[in-house]
Amino acid sequence: MTRSSMALRTRVFSALLSRISTPVEEARDFATLRAERRRLQATAVGRRIFGHADKAAVTEEIVLGTGQRALVHRPRGAIGPLPCVLNFHGGGWVQGNPEQSAWLASRIAVRNRVAVVSPTYRLAPEDIFPAAVEDCWDSLAWVAGHAADLDIDPQRIAVMGDSAGGNLAAVVALLARDAGGPELRGQVLIYPGTEMYDRWPSEDRNAEAPVLTSRNMRAFVRLYLGDQHGTEDFRASPIRAASHADLPKAFILTAELDPLLDNGTRYRDVLMAAGVPVRYAEYDGAIHGFLSLPGVVPVASRALDDIVGFLREVL
């Protein structure tokens, strides 16, 4: 892997991260790791790394009828019903929280004049597959079913997610199609994990990449699937679905220096072969997780512009 195309601040961040972080494959106390992540996010340094919510947005914490906590970002002073983006956070199905997506979600809310709902979901290894899938599906069903309470338009909903959240967004889109609704206008899949087992060239090329290594990838999968490791259920690997026809228009974003890059390109090809309209973008010099790291990966701003443009079209 070459780092020559990385911005200087990305290289510095990557070097620091490699010294202070505990690789997931070595972790034992996941609750403590999650708590440490939350504390970092709340510090001045954390806010510079992860970004902060747009001041033109109003952010409210709610509890869905499913029992899941969620952050709802809206444009300040907006009058509904608003279109809705249901956003699933990343973190390898093991860590992460809606707060880490606030920079992206709040700016989409303001610039697209939409409500962005970012729910929690159960995490592994305490709750293994398909707990996260069930929670994300339930959150979509609840949001669509309570549109009037949320002041959103149930006919104008899109799903979005990054990394593990991109996996969950892709799965939810498949489930919604198979269930006959809620009908989705689009799916934004940000460096998604779409295949649990196959090893593709980008994983070898970026095996020691910042934020996510090949070893990290394999550990996250084993923690998420637990005793179901080996399952070919499409709810784990959406690329393995029997059909990808009739899915909503997709925007797939990938990062040049990411072992998961080929998960995105392969899913793009599968969707296009099934007749699904797909927009695709790969961001030079970007590392995995870059849309949660706007303070250290400058190209995050351009990716945000691209997502805003796509959502403007579909919603």
Side-chain angles (χ1 to χ4, degrees):
M1 182 196 69
T2 176
R3 301 190 180 197
S4 59
S5 58
M6 279 190 203
L8 175 59
R9 71 181 86 161
T10 309
R11 294 200 300 272
V12 171
F13 168 77
S14 301
L16 289 173
L17 185 68
S18 67
R19 294 182 181 183
I20 66 173
S21 63
T22 301
V24 66
E25 60 270 22
E26 298 176 11
R28 296 295 178 266
D29 186 347
F30 295 98
T32 296
L33 283 180
R34 294 173 198 140
E36 290 174 351
R37 185 187 185 99
R38 288 292 300 272
R39 283 195 293 271
L40 173 60
Q41 289 171 224
T43 66
V45 172
R47 288 192 293 273
R48 288 186 64 86
I49 293 170
F50 296 102
H52 54 78
D54 194 310
K55 293 180 180 178
V58 175
T59 301
E60 177 187 12
E61 182 174 309
I62 67 171
V63 177
L64 308 184
T66 59
Q68 298 156 255
R69 183 177 69 89
L71 295 184
V72 182
H73 306 275
R74 300 175 187 272
R76 192 176 300 277
I79 299 174
L82 298 175
C84 177
V85 178
L86 188 62
N87 173 57
F88 304 119
H89 68 77
W93 308 277
V94 170
Q95 55 194 9
N97 52 64
E99 285 77 10
Q100 73 190 34
S101 302
W103 179 84
L104 176 64
S106 63
R107 281 158 178 77
I108 287 172
V110 170
R111 293 177 58 181
N112 287 110
R113 306 295 292 176
V114 302
V116 180
V117 180
S118 299
T120 58
Y121 50 86
R122 285 172 289 172
L123 298 173
E126 295 91 339
D127 294 286
I128 63 169
F129 171 84
V133 172
E134 293 168 348
D135 288 352
C136 292
W137 170 249
D138 288 346
S139 67
L140 172 61
W142 191 89
V143 165
H146 292 78
D149 298 331
L150 295 169
D151 204 17
I152 65 168
D153 183 347
Q155 304 303 316
R156 300 171 70 189
I157 298 177
V159 291
M160 179 173 75
D162 61 295
S163 192
N167 165 277
L168 293 165
V171 171
V172 164
L174 286 158
L175 293 174
R177 178 204 62 185
D178 293 348
E183 185 174 349
L184 300 175
R185 292 287 191 93
Q187 51 181 327
V188 179
L189 310 179
I190 304 169
Y191 30 84
T194 61
E195 162 58 44
M196 291 290 150
Y197 315 112
D198 289 349
R199 189 180 183 100
W200 292 325
S202 66
E203 184 176 351
D204 293 320
R205 190 168 64 247
N206 299 307
E208 299 300 325
V211 177
L212 184 71
T213 66
S214 173
R215 288 188 299 277
N216 298 159
M217 281 175 58
R218 298 300 162 180
F220 279 128
V221 167
R222 288 194 174 276
L223 288 165
Y224 177 47
L225 297 181
D227 60 10
Q228 296 185 67
H229 192 273
T231 180
E232 297 186 3
D233 192 327
F234 78 88
R235 295 176 301 165
S237 300
I239 203 167
R240 294 177 180 251
S243 170
H244 294 84
D246 303 317
L247 287 170
K249 186 174 182 178
F251 182 22
I252 299 175
L253 299 82
T254 61
E256 177 193 9
L257 305 175
D258 184 355
L260 273 180
L261 188 152
D262 287 344
N263 272 243
T265 59
R266 302 268 179 141
Y267 201 60
R268 171 201 63 191
D269 295 345
V270 165
L271 292 184
M272 292 179 67
V276 178
V278 180
R279 179 179 297 184
Y280 174 77
E282 178 186 321
Y283 296 89
D284 294 344
I287 59 177
H288 186 79
F290 76 95
L291 269 163
S292 296
L293 303 167
V296 293
V297 187
V299 77
S301 293
R302 179 158 62 85
L304 167 63
D305 292 343
D306 293 342
I307 294 171
V308 167
F310 173 79
L311 290 171
R312 186 174 294 126
E313 290 179 10
V314 298
L315 290 174

